[in-house]
């Protein structure tokens, strides 16, 4: 059985629900809903699973704060022997303008504390990332840490449907590629 892990980053609780920092949760909620699935709550995370013939895709929203996201990722990686290359992390990205969505494999964390904790806990930065641009404040306007904890504006939220649809397509592409690569690897 092949296991894949898709993790949405965010902070738990109503207070943070529409924060820029929570775009990973927002995207993952939409994706799980679009597949007709629902969430099961554990003390440390929400989980949803899609079962295929020879694979399971685990969707996880850690219930720790963003800076401690690595614990849940480590738990799943160890429990199901999931290598970093079979993990996709959905994250906010201040170095991209609002609405720009990019895939990335490995590399640095660019100061993102959720990513730093994942790298530290699983001992690798070779996981995939779906980076969702949230923009950043004008220089001197406010600290980035304060900016990402603000809610999306009404104007930004009007664009969510199209952006969430695009994110769903990118997750589907990642899953298709990951499963194809794993099948090729097992056939070798």
């Amino acid at each position: 059985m092949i296991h894949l892990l898709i993790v949405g980053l965010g902070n738990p609780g109503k207070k943070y629900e529409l924060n820029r920092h929570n775009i990973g949760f927002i995207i993952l909620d939409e994706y799980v809903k679009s597949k007709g699935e629902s969430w099961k709550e554990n003390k440390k995370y929400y989980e949803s699973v899609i079962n295929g013939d020879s694979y399971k895709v685990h969707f996880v929203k850690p219930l720790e704060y963003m800076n401690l996201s690595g614990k849940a990722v480590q738990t799943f990686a160890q429990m199901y022997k999931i290598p970093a290359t079979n993990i996709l992390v959905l994250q906010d990205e201040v170095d991209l303008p609002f609405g720009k969505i990019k895939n990335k494999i490995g590399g640095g964390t660019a100061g993102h504390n959720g990513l730093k904790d994942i790298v530290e806990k699983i001992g690798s930065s070779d996981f995939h990332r779906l980076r969702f641009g949230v923009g950043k404040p004008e220089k001197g306007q406010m600290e980035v840490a304060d900016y990402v904890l603000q809610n999306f504006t009404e104007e930004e939220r009007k664009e969510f449907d199209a952006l969430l649809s695009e994110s769903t397509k990118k997750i589907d592409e990642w899953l298709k590629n990951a499963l194809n690569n794993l099948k090729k690897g097992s056939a070798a």
Side-chain angles (χ1 to χ4, degrees):
M1 179 71 59
I2 295 167
H3 293 269
L4 299 169
L5 176 60
I6 300 179
V7 181
L9 297 187
N11 286 312
K14 274 252 186 254
K15 174 181 174 182
Y16 302 103
E17 207 167 69
L18 291 174
N19 285 184
R20 290 178 174 92
H21 220 20
N22 271 37
I23 193 64
F25 278 11
I26 295 167
I27 292 169
L28 201 54
D29 281 337
E30 182 65 25
Y31 188 82
V32 166
K33 185 172 106 181
S34 77
K35 300 301 177 189
E37 299 295 329
S38 59
W39 293 104
K40 293 180 184 124
E41 186 176 352
N42 177 298
K43 290 180 183 175
K44 298 189 187 278
Y45 50 81
Y46 283 105
E47 179 188 17
S48 187
V49 178
I50 291 178
N51 294 299
D53 293 336
S54 60
Y55 67 89
K56 279 189 179 195
V57 183
H58 303 269
F59 302 96
V60 174
K61 295 190 316 181
L63 286 174
E64 302 271 5
Y65 285 98
M66 172 76 74
N67 300 354
L68 303 173
S69 299
K71 289 180 184 179
V73 177
Q74 180 184 39
T75 296
F76 277 84
Q78 289 177 345
M79 190 179 342
Y80 297 107
K81 297 176 180 28
I82 303 172
T85 53
N86 290 358
I87 298 172
L88 174 65
V89 175
L90 313 177
Q91 64 165 100
D92 60 306
E93 179 60 63
V94 296
D95 290 328
L96 292 174
F98 173 76
K100 185 83 171 163
I101 304 167
K102 284 193 168 186
N103 289 345
K104 179 181 179 183
I105 302 170
T109 62
H112 193 293
N113 290 326
L115 294 178
K116 282 182 190 175
D117 195 54
I118 292 170
V119 169
E120 181 183 302
K121 296 291 190 302
I122 67 171
S124 174
S125 65
D126 293 338
F127 52 91
H128 297 247
R129 299 126 195 235
L130 184 63
R131 302 162 55 220
F132 187 99
V134 295
K136 61 178 150 188
E138 298 289 326
K139 196 165 183 99
Q141 185 183 29
M142 73 173 63
E143 294 294 318
V144 170
D146 294 329
Y147 176 78
V148 296
L149 290 176
Q150 287 189 337
N151 285 350
F152 286 101
T153 65
E154 285 297 320
E155 192 173 298
E156 290 168 334
R157 292 206 321 246
K158 287 177 185 172
E159 297 181 44
F160 265 25
D161 285 346
L163 297 171
L164 292 173
S165 175
E166 181 65 22
S167 297
T168 294
K169 288 177 192 169
K170 289 195 177 285
I171 295 168
D172 282 338
E173 286 171 19
W174 181 83
L175 276 172
K176 181 180 174 185
N177 290 335
L179 290 169
N180 284 339
N181 290 337
L182 290 168
K183 287 175 187 173
K184 287 177 194 173
S186 65

